[in-house]
Amino acid sequence: MRPTWVDPPISSVRDVVARALAEDLGVFGDLTAGLIPPKATVTAAIRSRVGGVLAGTMTARATFEAVDGSVRVGWLGSDGDAFEPGGLVAEVSGSLVSVLTAERTALNLLGHLSGVATLTRRFVDAAAGRCQIRDTRKTTPGLRALEKAAVRAGGGVNHRGSLSDGILIKDNHLAGLTVGEAVSAAHARWPGVPCQVECDTLDQVRTALEAGAGMVLLDNMDPPQVASAVALVAGRALVEVSGRVTLDTVGDYAAAGPDFISVGALTHSAPVLDLGLDLEA
Amino acid sequence: MRPTWVDPPISSVRDVVARALAEDLGVFGDLTAGLIPPKATVTAAIRSRVGGVLAGTMTARATFEAVDGSVRVGWLGSDGDAFEPGGLVAEVSGSLVSVLTAERTALNLLGHLSGVATLTRRFVDAAAGRCQIRDTRKTTPGLRALEKAAVRAGGGVNHRGSLSDGILIKDNHLAGLTVGEAVSAAHARWPGVPCQVECDTLDQVRTALEAGAGMVLLDNMDPPQVASAVALVAGRALVEVSGRVTLDTVGDYAAAGPDFISVGALTHSAPVLDLGLDLEA
Amino acid sequence: MRPTWVDPPISSVRDVVARALAEDLGVFGDLTAGLIPPKATVTAAIRSRVGGVLAGTMTARATFEAVDGSVRVGWLGSDGDAFEPGGLVAEVSGSLVSVLTAERTALNLLGHLSGVATLTRRFVDAAAGRCQIRDTRKTTPGLRALEKAAVRAGGGVNHRGSLSDGILIKDNHLAGLTVGEAVSAAHARWPGVPCQVECDTLDQVRTALEAGAGMVLLDNMDPPQVASAVALVAGRALVEVSGRVTLDTVGDYAAAGPDFISVGALTHSAPVLDLGLDLEA
Amino acid sequence: MRPTWVDPPISSVRDVVARALAEDLGVFGDLTAGLIPPKATVTAAIRSRVGGVLAGTMTARATFEAVDGSVRVGWLGSDGDAFEPGGLVAEVSGSLVSVLTAERTALNLLGHLSGVATLTRRFVDAAAGRCQIRDTRKTTPGLRALEKAAVRAGGGVNHRGSLSDGILIKDNHLAGLTVGEAVSAAHARWPGVPCQVECDTLDQVRTALEAGAGMVLLDNMDPPQVASAVALVAGRALVEVSGRVTLDTVGDYAAAGPDFISVGALTHSAPVLDLGLDLEA
Amino acid sequence: MRPTWVDPPISSVRDVVARALAEDLGVFGDLTAGLIPPKATVTAAIRSRVGGVLAGTMTARATFEAVDGSVRVGWLGSDGDAFEPGGLVAEVSGSLVSVLTAERTALNLLGHLSGVATLTRRFVDAAAGRCQIRDTRKTTPGLRALEKAAVRAGGGVNHRGSLSDGILIKDNHLAGLTVGEAVSAAHARWPGVPCQVECDTLDQVRTALEAGAGMVLLDNMDPPQVASAVALVAGRALVEVSGRVTLDTVGDYAAAGPDFISVGALTHSAPVLDLGLDLEA
Amino acid sequence: MRPTWVDPPISSVRDVVARALAEDLGVFGDLTAGLIPPKATVTAAIRSRVGGVLAGTMTARATFEAVDGSVRVGWLGSDGDAFEPGGLVAEVSGSLVSVLTAERTALNLLGHLSGVATLTRRFVDAAAGRCQIRDTRKTTPGLRALEKAAVRAGGGVNHRGSLSDGILIKDNHLAGLTVGEAVSAAHARWPGVPCQVECDTLDQVRTALEAGAGMVLLDNMDPPQVASAVALVAGRALVEVSGRVTLDTVGDYAAAGPDFISVGALTHSAPVLDLGLDLEA
């Protein structure tokens, strides 16, 4: 059994599934499934058309169960497991009407979340262990808890869960304060809460260090600049790289020695993983 | 003033914004904005780093207003308008604390929905008016109404809103029924509701026509097969093409003469549009 | 200005309106209103095709405002006012798109609640002041607060708001207890809360009085039986008549001298009042 | 087993039941049931005092289960089945406290929905198979999905589920557009979505046909006018009759040859069906 | 088995538990429990560090079940039972991850509600049966139903559940009306609903009696004044004492002979009961 | 203008106010306020009977506005300001009906939150600047965001907002892991997230330090033990004291030199602050 820390919280799972089903069932329910003889039962396979990393199993299972508590879902892997193209992901059995009614909502969730996990894994692999890959707050509204869990399934680590559990000071926030004043206020009011300062230049990195920031966020620097910043920091703070890092460039950035690279695309631009439900004979 | 039909329903806008803000504000609210002197005000510009098609203005405006009713948002275009890289999309003015607190949620929504509109526009342009581009039910759970409005902003047309407002008969649904029996039952129970039959072969197209389907969904056919199917149908039903059509292939499919091409990627895999908020001096 | 006690609570009004609009707007919003030029404005009259008693003005106004805060609604009467067939009930002005989008939801609420008020008034008039007309808990699920307010607008008085604010002991509840034991327990646990005992016979009335019930509910008795019961009670408790009293029989029941007649039909079977919205030139 | 297409969607059932119970339980719960010895159990029968057509079984069962998962409900029929006066509809067994606590909410739902189904059946029977009976959007706010399912149980068919899944052009919507322009816009923007034009006169019918409407809604015509319109349309569009058709007149209207007759009263004015719960010895 | 009348309504329990868990699980769920080997199981004891009166068992059980339906909770008493310092309150067994994830939310609810019950019991004991102890509407927002149930568990009785189920006329409400006019209006509009008049002086008590109030609320009187008021009322109305009665003074007040003493502190200032969860070997 | 960082997030404020009002208005609304002439207006003062620290102004204002948008509330201080016994806290003016309807809910919230702020201030003052006072997760279910804001208003700092934004390893969590393994896993999975280890003995403190914990939580130690632990830690980690620290002992604990003292009582046992609304002539 895998650790539970890659799982999303049960409250979020229930909430998302209830809304997603209501959205898809509409006023009349599934008109097409209503054509089916009600006694028909089925065993079906969820298969991926492509390779990838699994995420969203709790959510997909909860979708089938919310439609019909007697549908059974057996997973062939856990969140975070890789699968091959054509690989069997799960077996679903029960009433044909129920399985087809839940199919699209379950696959939308599973495909989207596995897409996030898969893209994360690709960044993680490209970083080759030299630094950690983090997500951002650029998540899909309403799905943050699930997407952040999918990032964990992909091998990434999570940045802030909300504006409420981390401080990230940008130029925009100063409004007359110095960085030092802002960091001091942050430390005084929110002791123990991670406090980052965004830096566009080495000078700003120097200022942030003097201000006592625990982490610097290097924004839109190239790998050599990152290497210089890492050298400048010299372990006095954690270093995070941010700003349109791609799969092509992530290796170079990782080689420059930061602690983290954060990638908005993990959650805002991951293509869906193409999963389908095949009825079995 | 542009027609209102590209707008999402107000109920959905309010609901999504309330949830998205609650998700991002968390238990403590915006720790970083809390460092700012409370009297500071700002005028800021929302700009796109890339070119694209605007969508989500109602939603982004509602986000700023939900944080602080005194923030003003002035749009430089309407949903559906194209803008250039670096183009100014909106001006936002009011309390700096409020603007920064709402920023990420507003941009997440605006960027995601403009991303959907932009990808739709590219498909529409590639189809060059020879057929219409439609979305699918492969939407992001919780955001369907907003994403479908963004597809309209991009120039696409909407397929079913839910399982409840259209019938789409696949092999999976038959369970012993003939296609004719299923279509007849659909017509009898749901008169006037669009009824499609999914077809993988010309034989199935023939069967669907005999069954009286009003629309056939050609699944995973290549353009020559589509052309043959269009010829076979000969105007007796609407013809929709589906199944992993890409920007590279959509022109060939459109040339084959169907009425619609439906593209799941419009909503499940559109990359976010890169928008930013720049404070003005 | 009329007293506010006929108004429903604002919490219930907001809640019902938000749900009703979401239900009617669906995924795409009002397709037909979307055809209208967005700049068109309108002044429209809400008129009743028949005579009746007004109820639901707060709710209808809240519906128009929820769709578009700039729509103005001017009422020609307050909840509880009678109007003639063809009578003008309200004037609505603003964006044509907004007015038509809200129309059906507003009229559904106004027509249903005015229907309840109108039927109540007919019972009240038939009772001719000899006793009060009360509603029951046989309300439409989700609309209780609004329907009970409409009963007040019609001149009726409210029975229990929920299972939680009154005690009504029927045979079903005894399960081995005597009526006296049940009434004593009720008084001890819920001092001051109204406690009724349902009685089918004069013997049961006698028992209820001995048990100390503050009110007896005479179930399915005819008017002479009611008169006997009233005589038996002789002012020692309040007397309520219940059980399929109709407009034809309510006068006879009222003449028999009870304090209240409760009528489930007020809320579960009141026909809608036929109201329409007419655009003005 | 009956087909599932008469069932309401599970999301709506759960939502309505949760709200209805919260509304009836209030702050203290069922004071009267709280007098009962907690160990008492019961078997009870739900019987109808009158004949009718059953609807709402899913909803009533969900109500008992929401109060107490160990209560068992056995139905003697399915939604859509007719029953005789005094007929046994269901048997309920379990904790007496739980059964009585849920009783009123379950019966309110079952009685209201069976009332809708029963009135629908009467219209369907009066139309004698010559045309279909449809509902309207004149539903009780918050209960649309359940009432529309009850119409199906009664043998009717459903009109639009919301403003979002059908177009119905009335004079009010034109605001300077011709009917032809409106219908063309509707077809272009919402291909495949049913598009009706409301007509008060034969001239308007002619215009609607020329405009390409797929369905005409004849508003407030008498049966001979309907017959003329049907002759004029001559199969080029579907024909629906609307406007205060009663049980007395529906036969004449049906004989005039339209495809559908829509009746608002099915959902806005159906009297409740009188059902009761009788404890068994 | 104890009577169910001390239980809160199931709707409120479910609602509070769902919100409380969502609040505590946040975006990522229980980070610390995520460190635990997922297969670990546990049997744990809920013990009180101090003596007290149990309340909230339904709510605490619902919390564990909402996290994980397979966790088992066995109670050693029912709501209303007293326990000793160190006394075992419940045994919980199941997945260690689940038990620890639910622990704080379950204990917060159980400790708060048992705190309310315990403080209530102390007042009840101090009143020594000479009068009843009542709560007020000074409850914790969102928890009223649960706190009022805890008051019943402690041996108190409930005052109004909401503004909607009782009338309490204070000077503030008169605005030009006489007390007699207000009481008459109250009786006419809300027959059977408890109607109290708040009195600061014996003169006001006299006025209230003449006005026909069923209950007088003596506000901020000392015990001798209360005794005078009780003598003046002489059984013509119920007498309630209110206004900062403490454990030190409640005995004297009770001895003065009122029917009820209401104490806001029961719900707004009861200290939590110190309960802990101890893992067993 | 005071900084906004003591404010609770607007999402939480709206949510709590909507629920609290619905809870108090019930099915019929405020029966007593309904007796008042509807045109009456009022200016009223909110005064505290005792001295204290203000918190909850956003929430109280939102309550009056939710009942009636035309009620005006003027505060004489901000959250965090101290006031004297009898001090004027706010002036409220508008419709008498509206002000009285909102009164209890607004005062319940203001009194509870000011109670939390006041108790916090007393602990902060007793600690005399030698260490910071923190809250815990022992908050009232549903009110965490508001209570934690009140702690900030009182001069305290916030511990974790939820299980999701901090790690706190207790013996219960180990289940076979060593402390070192647990801390390592925490650091690896949740870099930057605060990680505490609970310690009952100096030996455990030593182990925690070796494990790399960033903070130790000294549970139930006396002040001399705390001093020893502080000496042992010698600045290598932050030190927090926990476990039933009272106002009597907090000074001694603070003198022992920890960084933080966390006090569950701030939120779970703060008595309400006695505030009242006085109508003005």
Short mmCIF file of all heavy atoms in Angstrom, two decimals, chain C residues 6-17 55-56 58-60 63 79 109-110 112-114 116-117 139-140 142-153 158 267, chain D residues 23 141, chain F residues 26-28:
data_model
loop_
_atom_site.label_atom_id
_atom_site.label_comp_id
_atom_site.label_asym_id
_atom_site.label_seq_id
_atom_site.Cartn_x
_atom_site.Cartn_y
_atom_site.Cartn_z
N VAL C 6 -45.64 40.11 7.18
CA VAL C 6 -46.03 39.18 6.12
C VAL C 6 -44.86 38.82 5.22
O VAL C 6 -44.99 37.94 4.37
CB VAL C 6 -47.19 39.75 5.26
CG1 VAL C 6 -48.44 39.96 6.11
CG2 VAL C 6 -46.80 41.05 4.59
N ASP C 7 -43.73 39.48 5.36
CA ASP C 7 -42.58 39.17 4.51
C ASP C 7 -41.92 37.86 4.91
O ASP C 7 -41.83 37.54 6.10
CB ASP C 7 -41.52 40.28 4.62
CG ASP C 7 -41.98 41.57 3.97
OD1 ASP C 7 -42.86 41.54 3.09
OD2 ASP C 7 -41.45 42.63 4.36
N PRO C 8 -41.40 37.14 3.94
CA PRO C 8 -40.55 35.99 4.28
C PRO C 8 -39.18 36.49 4.73
O PRO C 8 -38.80 37.63 4.44
CB PRO C 8 -40.43 35.25 2.95
CG PRO C 8 -40.60 36.31 1.91
CD PRO C 8 -41.54 37.34 2.49
N PRO C 9 -38.40 35.65 5.42
CA PRO C 9 -37.06 36.07 5.83
C PRO C 9 -36.14 36.23 4.61
O PRO C 9 -36.20 35.43 3.67
CB PRO C 9 -36.58 34.95 6.75
CG PRO C 9 -37.51 33.81 6.56
CD PRO C 9 -38.78 34.34 5.96
N ILE C 10 -35.28 37.23 4.68
CA ILE C 10 -34.40 37.55 3.55
C ILE C 10 -33.48 36.39 3.19
O ILE C 10 -33.18 36.16 2.02
CB ILE C 10 -33.59 38.83 3.86
CG1 ILE C 10 -32.74 39.27 2.68
CG2 ILE C 10 -32.70 38.65 5.07
CD1 ILE C 10 -33.54 39.82 1.55
N SER C 11 -33.05 35.62 4.18
CA SER C 11 -32.18 34.47 3.90
C SER C 11 -32.86 33.49 2.97
O SER C 11 -32.26 32.97 2.03
CB SER C 11 -31.82 33.74 5.19
OG SER C 11 -31.21 34.60 6.11
N SER C 12 -34.13 33.21 3.23
CA SER C 12 -34.85 32.24 2.40
C SER C 12 -35.07 32.80 1.00
O SER C 12 -34.98 32.07 0.01
CB SER C 12 -36.20 31.91 3.04
OG SER C 12 -36.01 31.40 4.33
N VAL C 13 -35.37 34.09 0.92
CA VAL C 13 -35.60 34.69 -0.40
C VAL C 13 -34.35 34.56 -1.26
O VAL C 13 -34.41 34.10 -2.41
CB VAL C 13 -35.99 36.17 -0.23
CG1 VAL C 13 -35.97 36.89 -1.58
CG2 VAL C 13 -37.36 36.29 0.42
N ARG C 14 -33.22 34.93 -0.71
CA ARG C 14 -31.97 34.86 -1.49
C ARG C 14 -31.67 33.43 -1.93
O ARG C 14 -31.23 33.20 -3.05
CB ARG C 14 -30.80 35.38 -0.64
CG ARG C 14 -30.81 36.86 -0.50
CD ARG C 14 -29.43 37.40 -0.12
NE ARG C 14 -29.60 38.82 0.19
CZ ARG C 14 -29.48 39.36 1.40
NH1 ARG C 14 -29.13 38.62 2.42
NH2 ARG C 14 -29.68 40.64 1.57
N ASP C 15 -31.86 32.52 -1.01
CA ASP C 15 -31.52 31.14 -1.28
C ASP C 15 -32.40 30.57 -2.40
O ASP C 15 -31.91 29.94 -3.35
CB ASP C 15 -31.71 30.35 0.02
CG ASP C 15 -31.15 28.97 -0.06
OD1 ASP C 15 -29.97 28.84 -0.41
OD2 ASP C 15 -31.89 28.00 0.20
N VAL C 16 -33.69 30.81 -2.31
CA VAL C 16 -34.61 30.27 -3.33
C VAL C 16 -34.33 30.91 -4.68
O VAL C 16 -34.29 30.22 -5.71
CB VAL C 16 -36.07 30.51 -2.91
CG1 VAL C 16 -37.03 30.25 -4.07
CG2 VAL C 16 -36.43 29.61 -1.73
N VAL C 17 -34.11 32.21 -4.71
CA VAL C 17 -33.89 32.88 -5.98
C VAL C 17 -32.61 32.38 -6.66
O VAL C 17 -32.59 32.11 -7.86
CB VAL C 17 -33.85 34.41 -5.79
CG1 VAL C 17 -33.31 35.12 -7.03
CG2 VAL C 17 -35.25 34.92 -5.45
N ALA C 55 -48.72 38.09 -3.53
CA ALA C 55 -47.69 37.62 -2.60
C ALA C 55 -46.44 37.32 -3.41
O ALA C 55 -46.52 37.01 -4.60
CB ALA C 55 -48.14 36.36 -1.86
N GLY C 56 -45.30 37.47 -2.78
CA GLY C 56 -44.05 37.14 -3.45
C GLY C 56 -43.32 38.33 -4.05
O GLY C 56 -42.37 38.14 -4.83
N MET C 58 -41.20 40.46 -2.74
CA MET C 58 -39.76 40.48 -2.40
C MET C 58 -38.99 39.49 -3.27
O MET C 58 -37.88 39.74 -3.72
CB MET C 58 -39.56 40.02 -0.95
CG MET C 58 -39.41 41.13 0.06
SD MET C 58 -39.18 40.42 1.74
CE MET C 58 -37.44 39.93 1.69
N THR C 59 -39.60 38.33 -3.48
CA THR C 59 -38.93 37.26 -4.21
C THR C 59 -38.80 37.60 -5.69
O THR C 59 -37.76 37.36 -6.31
CB THR C 59 -39.72 35.96 -4.00
OG1 THR C 59 -40.01 35.82 -2.62
CG2 THR C 59 -38.95 34.76 -4.48
N ALA C 60 -39.86 38.16 -6.26
CA ALA C 60 -39.81 38.49 -7.68
C ALA C 60 -38.82 39.63 -7.93
O ALA C 60 -38.04 39.59 -8.87
CB ALA C 60 -41.20 38.87 -8.17
N THR C 63 -35.40 38.36 -7.91
CA THR C 63 -35.05 37.61 -9.11
C THR C 63 -34.54 38.53 -10.21
O THR C 63 -33.50 38.28 -10.83
CB THR C 63 -36.27 36.82 -9.62
OG1 THR C 63 -36.75 36.01 -8.55
CG2 THR C 63 -35.91 35.96 -10.81
N ASP C 79 -47.66 42.78 -0.67
CA ASP C 79 -48.14 41.44 -0.39
C ASP C 79 -49.40 41.55 0.48
O ASP C 79 -49.41 42.23 1.51
CB ASP C 79 -47.08 40.62 0.35
CG ASP C 79 -46.00 40.11 -0.60
OD1 ASP C 79 -45.78 40.74 -1.66
OD2 ASP C 79 -45.39 39.09 -0.29
N LEU C 109 -42.43 32.24 -9.42
CA LEU C 109 -42.47 32.48 -7.97
C LEU C 109 -43.67 33.35 -7.60
O LEU C 109 -44.42 33.04 -6.67
CB LEU C 109 -41.16 33.15 -7.53
CG LEU C 109 -39.96 32.20 -7.50
CD1 LEU C 109 -38.64 32.98 -7.52
CD2 LEU C 109 -40.02 31.32 -6.24
N LEU C 110 -43.85 34.42 -8.34
CA LEU C 110 -44.94 35.34 -8.03
C LEU C 110 -46.30 34.66 -8.21
O LEU C 110 -47.21 34.83 -7.40
CB LEU C 110 -44.82 36.56 -8.96
CG LEU C 110 -45.59 37.81 -8.58
CD1 LEU C 110 -45.07 38.39 -7.28
CD2 LEU C 110 -45.45 38.87 -9.70
N HIS C 112 -46.97 31.38 -8.15
CA HIS C 112 -47.20 30.32 -7.16
C HIS C 112 -47.56 30.93 -5.80
O HIS C 112 -48.53 30.50 -5.16
CB HIS C 112 -45.95 29.46 -7.04
CG HIS C 112 -46.06 28.39 -5.99
ND1 HIS C 112 -46.95 27.35 -6.09
CD2 HIS C 112 -45.41 28.22 -4.81
CE1 HIS C 112 -46.84 26.58 -5.00
NE2 HIS C 112 -45.92 27.10 -4.23
N LEU C 113 -46.82 31.92 -5.39
CA LEU C 113 -47.06 32.49 -4.05
C LEU C 113 -48.36 33.29 -4.03
O LEU C 113 -49.11 33.24 -3.04
CB LEU C 113 -45.86 33.33 -3.63
CG LEU C 113 -44.56 32.51 -3.49
CD1 LEU C 113 -43.37 33.43 -3.23
CD2 LEU C 113 -44.67 31.45 -2.39
N SER C 114 -48.66 34.00 -5.10
CA SER C 114 -49.95 34.69 -5.14
C SER C 114 -51.09 33.69 -5.21
O SER C 114 -52.18 33.93 -4.68
CB SER C 114 -50.00 35.64 -6.34
OG SER C 114 -49.04 36.68 -6.20
N VAL C 116 -51.10 30.85 -3.62
CA VAL C 116 -51.28 30.44 -2.22
C VAL C 116 -52.05 31.52 -1.44
O VAL C 116 -52.98 31.23 -0.68
CB VAL C 116 -49.90 30.16 -1.56
CG1 VAL C 116 -50.03 30.01 -0.06
CG2 VAL C 116 -49.26 28.93 -2.20
N ALA C 117 -51.66 32.78 -1.65
CA ALA C 117 -52.33 33.87 -0.93
C ALA C 117 -53.79 33.98 -1.33
O ALA C 117 -54.68 34.24 -0.50
CB ALA C 117 -51.60 35.19 -1.20
N THR C 139 -46.19 21.59 2.83
CA THR C 139 -45.71 22.63 1.93
C THR C 139 -44.84 22.02 0.84
O THR C 139 -44.45 20.85 0.93
CB THR C 139 -44.89 23.65 2.73
OG1 THR C 139 -43.84 22.93 3.40
CG2 THR C 139 -45.75 24.35 3.78
N THR C 140 -44.53 22.80 -0.14
CA THR C 140 -43.66 22.34 -1.21
C THR C 140 -42.21 22.33 -0.72
O THR C 140 -41.72 23.36 -0.29
CB THR C 140 -43.78 23.28 -2.42
OG1 THR C 140 -45.17 23.47 -2.71
CG2 THR C 140 -43.09 22.70 -3.62
N GLY C 142 -38.62 22.91 0.02
CA GLY C 142 -37.71 23.99 -0.39
C GLY C 142 -38.35 25.36 -0.38
O GLY C 142 -37.66 26.37 -0.41
N LEU C 143 -39.67 25.42 -0.33
CA LEU C 143 -40.36 26.71 -0.41
C LEU C 143 -41.16 27.04 0.85
O LEU C 143 -42.01 27.93 0.83
CB LEU C 143 -41.31 26.73 -1.62
CG LEU C 143 -40.67 26.61 -2.99
CD1 LEU C 143 -41.74 26.72 -4.08
CD2 LEU C 143 -39.62 27.69 -3.22
N ARG C 144 -40.93 26.32 1.93
CA ARG C 144 -41.82 26.49 3.08
C ARG C 144 -41.88 27.94 3.58
O ARG C 144 -42.95 28.48 3.83
CB ARG C 144 -41.39 25.58 4.23
CG ARG C 144 -42.35 25.70 5.41
CD ARG C 144 -42.11 24.66 6.47
NE ARG C 144 -42.55 23.35 6.00
CZ ARG C 144 -42.33 22.22 6.67
NH1 ARG C 144 -41.68 22.27 7.81
NH2 ARG C 144 -42.77 21.08 6.18
N ALA C 145 -40.72 28.57 3.75
CA ALA C 145 -40.73 29.93 4.31
C ALA C 145 -41.51 30.88 3.41
O ALA C 145 -42.25 31.74 3.90
CB ALA C 145 -39.30 30.43 4.50
N LEU C 146 -41.39 30.71 2.11
CA LEU C 146 -42.07 31.60 1.18
C LEU C 146 -43.57 31.30 1.14
O LEU C 146 -44.39 32.22 1.08
CB LEU C 146 -41.46 31.48 -0.22
CG LEU C 146 -40.26 32.39 -0.48
CD1 LEU C 146 -39.15 32.20 0.54
CD2 LEU C 146 -39.72 32.20 -1.88
N GLU C 147 -43.91 30.03 1.15
CA GLU C 147 -45.33 29.69 1.13
C GLU C 147 -46.04 30.12 2.42
O GLU C 147 -47.18 30.57 2.40
CB GLU C 147 -45.51 28.17 0.91
CG GLU C 147 -45.14 27.74 -0.50
CD GLU C 147 -45.33 26.26 -0.76
OE1 GLU C 147 -45.48 25.49 0.21
OE2 GLU C 147 -45.30 25.86 -1.93
N LYS C 148 -45.35 29.96 3.53
CA LYS C 148 -45.98 30.36 4.81
C LYS C 148 -46.16 31.88 4.85
O LYS C 148 -47.14 32.39 5.41
CB LYS C 148 -45.17 29.84 5.99
CG LYS C 148 -45.18 28.28 6.06
CD LYS C 148 -45.47 27.78 7.47
CE LYS C 148 -45.94 26.32 7.44
NZ LYS C 148 -46.60 25.90 8.67
N ALA C 149 -45.22 32.62 4.27
CA ALA C 149 -45.40 34.07 4.17
C ALA C 149 -46.60 34.40 3.28
O ALA C 149 -47.36 35.34 3.56
CB ALA C 149 -44.13 34.73 3.65
N ALA C 150 -46.78 33.64 2.22
CA ALA C 150 -47.92 33.88 1.32
C ALA C 150 -49.24 33.60 2.04
O ALA C 150 -50.24 34.28 1.80
CB ALA C 150 -47.79 33.03 0.06
N VAL C 151 -49.25 32.61 2.90
CA VAL C 151 -50.46 32.35 3.70
C VAL C 151 -50.77 33.56 4.58
O VAL C 151 -51.93 33.98 4.70
CB VAL C 151 -50.26 31.07 4.56
CG1 VAL C 151 -51.33 30.97 5.65
CG2 VAL C 151 -50.30 29.83 3.66
N ARG C 152 -49.76 34.15 5.18
CA ARG C 152 -49.99 35.35 5.98
C ARG C 152 -50.51 36.49 5.10
O ARG C 152 -51.41 37.23 5.50
CB ARG C 152 -48.69 35.80 6.68
CG ARG C 152 -48.14 34.78 7.65
CD ARG C 152 -47.09 35.35 8.61
NE ARG C 152 -45.85 35.80 8.00
CZ ARG C 152 -44.82 35.03 7.67
NH1 ARG C 152 -44.87 33.71 7.86
NH2 ARG C 152 -43.73 35.56 7.17
N ALA C 153 -49.95 36.62 3.91
CA ALA C 153 -50.43 37.66 2.99
C ALA C 153 -51.91 37.46 2.66
O ALA C 153 -52.66 38.42 2.46
CB ALA C 153 -49.59 37.67 1.72
N ASN C 158 -50.04 31.04 10.60
CA ASN C 158 -49.18 29.89 10.38
C ASN C 158 -49.24 28.91 11.52
O ASN C 158 -49.17 29.28 12.68
CB ASN C 158 -47.72 30.34 10.22
CG ASN C 158 -47.46 31.22 9.00
OD1 ASN C 158 -46.74 32.19 9.07
ND2 ASN C 158 -48.06 30.87 7.88
N THR C 267 -51.24 25.22 0.71
CA THR C 267 -49.86 25.18 0.20
C THR C 267 -49.59 24.02 -0.74
O THR C 267 -48.71 24.12 -1.58
CB THR C 267 -48.85 25.11 1.37
OG1 THR C 267 -49.22 24.02 2.23
CG2 THR C 267 -48.84 26.41 2.16
N GLU D 23 -35.15 21.79 6.27
CA GLU D 23 -36.27 22.72 6.44
C GLU D 23 -37.27 22.20 7.47
O GLU D 23 -37.82 22.97 8.25
CB GLU D 23 -36.92 22.85 5.06
CG GLU D 23 -38.01 23.85 4.89
CD GLU D 23 -38.56 23.80 3.46
OE1 GLU D 23 -39.16 22.77 3.07
OE2 GLU D 23 -38.38 24.79 2.73
N PRO D 141 -40.11 26.37 -8.48
CA PRO D 141 -38.68 26.65 -8.33
C PRO D 141 -37.98 25.70 -7.37
O PRO D 141 -38.44 25.52 -6.23
CB PRO D 141 -38.67 28.10 -7.81
CG PRO D 141 -39.92 28.69 -8.40
CD PRO D 141 -40.93 27.58 -8.33
N GLY F 26 -34.84 31.62 10.79
CA GLY F 26 -35.77 30.50 10.77
C GLY F 26 -36.78 30.61 9.65
O GLY F 26 -36.54 31.26 8.63
N VAL F 27 -37.91 29.98 9.83
CA VAL F 27 -38.92 29.88 8.78
C VAL F 27 -39.74 31.17 8.64
O VAL F 27 -40.15 31.53 7.55
CB VAL F 27 -39.87 28.70 9.07
CG1 VAL F 27 -40.99 28.63 8.05
CG2 VAL F 27 -39.09 27.40 9.08
N PHE F 28 -39.95 31.86 9.73
CA PHE F 28 -40.87 33.00 9.69
C PHE F 28 -40.16 34.36 9.78
O PHE F 28 -40.80 35.39 9.63
CB PHE F 28 -41.85 32.92 10.87
CG PHE F 28 -42.66 31.67 10.92
CD1 PHE F 28 -42.78 30.93 12.09
CD2 PHE F 28 -43.34 31.22 9.79
CE1 PHE F 28 -43.54 29.77 12.14
CE2 PHE F 28 -44.11 30.06 9.84
CZ PHE F 28 -44.21 29.33 11.01
#
